[in-house]
Structure formats: C-alpha cells, structure tokens
Amino acid sequence: MFEDREKTHISELGEFGLIDHLTKKFESTKPETILGIGDDAAITASDFRHQVISTDMFVENIHFDMMYSPLVHIGYKCISSSISDICAMNATASQVLVSVALSSKYTLQAAEELYAGMHAACEKYGVDLIGGDTSSSVIGMCINVTAIGYANEETIVKRSGAKEGDLLCVSGDLGGAYMGLQILEREKQVFLENNEMKPDLEGKDYIVGRQLRPEARKDIIDLFNELEIRPTSMIDISDGLSSEIFHLCKHSEVGMKVYEEKLPIDQQTYDTAIEFNLAPTTCAMNGGEDYELLFTVPQSAYDKLKNSMDISIIGYCTAVHEGKELITKSGNVVSLEAQGWENFTTTTTKSDETQTED
Ligand code: ADP
Ligand code: MG
C-alpha cells in the first residue's frame, strides 16, 4: 500500500489510518480481554482475581537516544520494562495500552519498526495490546505504556512485608545495562567527532543487549509458582540495587546487610567496568535498568532456592535501627546511607584501593 515507507510521512495516513496500519498485526488472545482496540474503550474482566496496573513514560533523549537505540529495541524495551513492574508484584501481565506522540521527523517505516518491537515483546510475554492513543509532537518521541496484570489476592507481593531475618535475593546479574550504556555513549562521542568511525561494540554484545533490549523476569515469577515460594517483599531493579534496597527497607521497616562478594556480576560487565576505571561493585550497586527482581524470602525458603542458578542470595534483613550496610570483600562495613553515586563511588573506590594494597 505504501510503496516507499522510508519516505511516507506519517501525516499522509491520517491518525486512524496510522493506528489501523500499526496495530493490525496484534491479536488478542487472553481470556481477560473482552474487547480490544477499536472502540472508545477496551473491556477486560477477571473473575475473582485482583487487577494490578502500572504506567510508564518513555521520552526521547531522556529515556532513550535515537543515535544508538534502534526503534525496534525501543518498542521492545517500553513493553518489557512495563511488564517488569507487574512481575515485581508477583502478578501475571495480561494487557498493555500504548500511547505514542511522534514528531514529523518520523516516517512510516520508523513507526513500523517501533511497533515491530512492541509486537515481539507482546508475543514473548503473552500480553494483548488493547488500546492507546496517538498524537503528534513538536519535537521527539514520547511513549506511554500502561500494563495490566492479574493475581490472586494472597499471592500479590508488595514492597512492604520483609521481616528481620529474611534472606535478600536478586535474580540474574547486575550492572550490565549501565556498562552497556557507557559503551554506547562512548561510541556515540567517537562518532560525533568523526562521522567515518564505525561503532566498536565487539565483545560487548551481552552488556549492550542488557541496555537496549532488557527482559522482564516473568520466568522468575513462574519459578516462584513452581517452587511454591511467596516472597515477603519485592521490587524490580530499574534505578539500581542500592536505591531499590532503600525502597524495600523503607516500606518494610527493616534494615539490610548486603555482601559485596555475593553480588552477581557478569564477566563482561566486570571487565568493562575495569576498562572504564569504575569499581564493578559500584556499577552493580548503582547502575540502573537491569530489570532484575530484588526480593526477600523467609529463611525456610533457603533449601528451595539454593540450587537456582539464576538467583543469588546477597544478604539478609536486620532490625531497622541497624541501617543499610554493604560488607565489602575485605570485611569493611560501608553504610548505604550515602546513597548518591559520587558518595558511594568514593567510598568503594577507597576500600578497593585498600584491598589492592593488602
Ligand atoms: P478516541 O478518539 O475515542 O480516543 P482513538 O481514535 O484515539 O479514539 O482510538 C481509536 C482506537 O484505537 C481505540 O481503541 C484506541 O484505544 C486505539 N488506539 C489509538 N491509538 C493507539 C495506539 N497508538 N496503539 C494502540 N491502540 C491505539
Ligand atoms: Mg484517543
């Protein structure tokens, strides 16, 4: 229909033409979806379960950079990071609504790529796209995703609920998305200085992928179900481990001790941090966007979790007055009260130096 998609301006299709064109590949499959795209509003229904809803905004040049983020990955990431919030409640995501504002610089091809990424994520996580809104914008792109999930009341997990003595656990590995971003930013600068330079991402595929195309840990929610584990508190790691520890502690009114040696750091993340003269621990503690799950479980769950390759027990909950502390590899105790990046960088770098001198 549109022969030259690269040159077709989105305004040529009109708002309705564009919505139809972009959403025609999406099919609703969930039993909770009663009515999807096309009417004034969508309809969902679920017998006795609770509905869990979250919304997220993604703004060009704040949350993503077109210089190095392919649109298909931006589409994927918007959906997967929104679903991550539903997972963090121990609920199953079922539907999403997506609103986009596109400036005139975007072609039909660009909009198609964005929606191809969203489609891939919807398929991967088994969610229906049931509506949204479409607008033009003066500059840049803005995307809003609302995710809806369902869960039985008694299985929902909040940030509150951690108890003294509970184990603190994290899925996957940390700091990768942050190091991926450092690589992409570095290559962007190289390119800006010399347009002939091709980005050098060799050997950095894992961390660049962690930044550009993160996954929601739905598999961990499925594992909890299978192992019959209900975490006492949970949060997804979007702003960095240290920051999420603060949230869990605040809502649960506990303190936490975290062991540096237990932090899961991938080899590529570790090596790249060293290359950038950063302490790998700092990247794991403060780098954001890993979208892993941070949760607490009663000690009785230890036997069920100890053999899970993808879950690390990194510490435990203490009384609230004991504060939030990182026990370094050399046995130093670093307070996490100084939450800021710089403060923390200084402290860890110092203790790391002490370690090398030893
Ligand atoms: P209204 O004027 O009532 O807001 P719209 O013309 O904006 O209706 O939307 C028509 C239908 O298309 C609705 O079902 C709406 O949810 C859906 N829709 C609009 N924009 C998008 C989008 N970007 N992605 C998915 N669905 C959309
Ligand atoms: Mg509308």
Side-chain angles (χ1 to χ4, degrees), residues 15-16 19 23 36-40 98 100 115 129-134:
E15 187 190 331
F16 303 128
I19 297 169
T23 59
I37 294 170
D39 216 307
D40 294 306
V98 177
V100 289
Y115 271 75
L129 174 68
I130 59 165
D133 200 18
T134 311

Side-chain angles (χ1 to χ4, degrees), residues 157-173:
V157 177
K158 300 180 190 159
R159 293 179 180 186
S160 55
K163 297 274 175 298
E164 199 179 330
D166 282 356
L167 304 172
L168 179 66
C169 311
V170 69
S171 64
D173 57 78

Side-chain angles (χ1 to χ4, degrees), residues 322-339:
E322 293 184 59
K324 299 160 265 291
E325 292 175 336
L326 177 75
I327 320 297
T328 69
K329 286 178 190 162
S330 51
N332 292 341
V333 179
V334 180
S335 170
L336 296 182
E337 291 307 335
Q339 192 193 3

Side-chain angles (χ1 to χ4, degrees), residues 215-279:
E215 301 288 356
R217 297 309 304 263
K218 181 181 184 296
D219 56 326
I220 300 291
I221 303 308
D222 297 340
L223 183 72
F224 290 152
N225 208 359
E226 202 181 296
L227 297 177
E228 294 178 3
I229 290 174
R230 180 176 174 255
T232 48
S233 71
M234 182 151 63
I235 190 168
D236 68 327
I237 304 185
S238 50
D239 296 332
L241 177 64
S242 183
S243 167
E244 316 308 356
I245 284 175
F246 265 70
H247 290 307
L248 289 187
C249 286
K250 182 175 156 220
H251 287 264
S252 296
E253 292 178 54
V254 292
M256 282 182 187
K257 279 197 177 22
V258 183
Y259 291 85
E260 183 184 19
E261 64 179 346
K262 301 283 185 200
L263 295 177
I265 303 178
D266 178 80
Q267 192 63 44
Q268 212 174 83
T269 305
Y270 190 95
D271 294 345
T272 312
I274 300 296
E275 202 182 311
F276 276 75
N277 232 342
L278 294 167

